[in-house]
Amino acid sequence: MALKVPKSNQIQLFKDGYKQVSGLDDAVLRNIQAVNELTDMVRTSFGPNGRNKLVINHLGRLFVTSDAATIIREIEVVHPAAKLVVMASQAQEAEMGDSTNLVIILAGELLKKAEHLLIMGLHQSEVIKGYELALVKALEEVEKLSSTTLPSPLNQPSLVTALKPAIASKQYGYEDILSSLVAEAALSIMPPNPKNFNVDNVRVVKIMGGGLNMSKVVQGMVFGREPEGLVKKVTKAKVAVFTSALDISQTETKGTVLIKNANDMLNFTTGEEKHLEKIFKEIADSGVKVIIAGSSIGDLALHYLNRFGIAVLKVLSKFELRRLCRVVNATPLARIGAPTREEAGFVDIFETTEVGGDRVTVLRQLAPGDAGFDPTSQAEKTKTATIVLRGATQNHLDDLERAIDDGVNVIKALLKDGRLVPGAGAVELELARRVDAYGGGLKGLSQHAVKRYASALEVVPRTLAENALGGAEGNEVLSRLWAKHADKGGESWGVDVEAETDGTLQADQHKIYDSLAAKTWALRLATEAAISVLSVDSIIMSKPAGGPKIPQQSGNWDADD
């Protein structure tokens, strides 16, 4: 008989202040609970009828949006398990620029389904194995569900059709206007090889006032400020871009000037003035008509620029300066002086126009078909298009910009892989049906996890229906969809958020498509995030690092304690 040695309770493994929780109840189920809190928060923002969230971040900035990527970026999630899901959705945002909410909702639902299995006594490794098998099957089946692809070469109507569902999920009701704006801007800057399309080349300028139908696409760049000098419009001009200040250079050392008489006083600044005049005369003689300054412009410099009839625009953002150099094909110079032929750029039109009540400066190249277009012109085809957005409030304009940003990212994803699958929750329900059938034929305990994975995929059509039609009606729509998917050729039946008939529609007939690449990435990332959370059985948190305490908001000094 072995001797049982009593355990000592005095063993201290960690420093004071460490927290350790382990086991099924304390670690795993608590983690699942935390992820569900996050999921329930963003779930109501899913789909065209998703509700907006009013978020005030730590800097006091206000956001009114239903965009999951913005919501989770602005709320600071501190729970370690919920952070894993947030990271997965951020990876989706970086990779595809869309379907971030899908990743969070699906990961949360997978964990919710796993919770029942764990409580019933299944081991975590069995659940993880089942989820991995189900993911492989789902990715294999989703490839087969691709029903259409983007045509090559691209045309406006097909691009608008592909963009509408992505934009409608953010700005329902405005998708027609926004998708045609994005498609027009993207096609105007499309490189000969579409795979080289750069999302950075579609810019957005927000101008308050007016309505969305007054928005337009401008070839070139739009800046929300007037030129500094008197010259407001120049055509077919040579452009010089300077990153340094247009002013008299200051010496680093201090000097003392001894002035003995009145003439010395009068001649004191003459040398500097002549030197500055000489520099700007050289620039004017080289044929430069437009100067873009990346820093401050001195009064004396402005005087000479006006005298030589040179337009000057101040652009303080170095990122905007880089983009501008791409538009005019110029090299930014760090010294003031006449640019060489290779360093100077060229612009067809530099003009100041009024949009609403704001004066804006537009730099653009003429496209074939425009009045005054010269095919022999030295200007290259512009590499940037700007969407000028109009709207009543700043928050609304910010939200429209986020929808446009999603639309441009969808184009980028579709140019890599142009395959489309039926949207409106149709593809998820069909996958649920096929994965469930696959799970029924498996042996062992992992079949339970595979079936739970299939039922978790139902969350997409269910959420779409609940957000649009309410909870009770949502359940009925889901059962009708199951019946229609059971029939042969019923793969494309999805949720009709407008409920024109019985709450269901054929997604391909209504031209509701989602990107196949975005779907596969979302499935992969959501499953990986869920598996990461499930494979944790212990959380060890160290004491937060010391340092100055964050000052608490104190009341008025006169207030009673």
Side-chain angles (χ1 to χ4, degrees), residues 88-98 100 409-410 412-413 416 517-518 521-522 524-525:
S89 78
Q90 284 169 343
Q92 176 76 6
E93 173 73 6
E95 192 65 38
M96 287 288 144
D98 192 29
T100 45
N409 279 307
V410 165
K412 175 75 175 168
K416 283 185 191 167
W521 271 99
R524 205 175 280 137
L525 288 166

Side-chain angles (χ1 to χ4, degrees), residues 34-46 51-58 63-79 81-94 97-108 170 399 402 406 525 529:
V35 174
N36 283 336
E37 288 278 323
L38 177 71
T39 309
D40 290 344
M41 187 179 65
V42 296
R43 190 171 159 177
T44 52
S45 295
F46 186 64
R51 304 296 94 201
N52 280 346
K53 300 280 180 281
L54 199 148
V55 182
I56 298 169
N57 69 1
H58 63 292
F63 294 86
V64 182
T65 181
S66 63
D67 181 31
T70 308
I71 295 167
I72 60 168
R73 189 173 61 243
E74 296 308 329
I75 56 170
E76 291 175 20
V77 177
V78 291
H79 194 282
K83 262 189 179 170
L84 290 172
V85 178
V86 168
M87 283 175 193
S89 78
Q90 284 169 343
Q92 176 76 6
E93 173 73 6
D98 192 29
S99 301
T100 45
N101 207 342
L102 176 60
V103 173
I104 301 174
I105 291 172
L106 192 52
K170 302 284 178 295
D399 216 23
R402 282 188 278 272
D406 270 18
L525 288 166

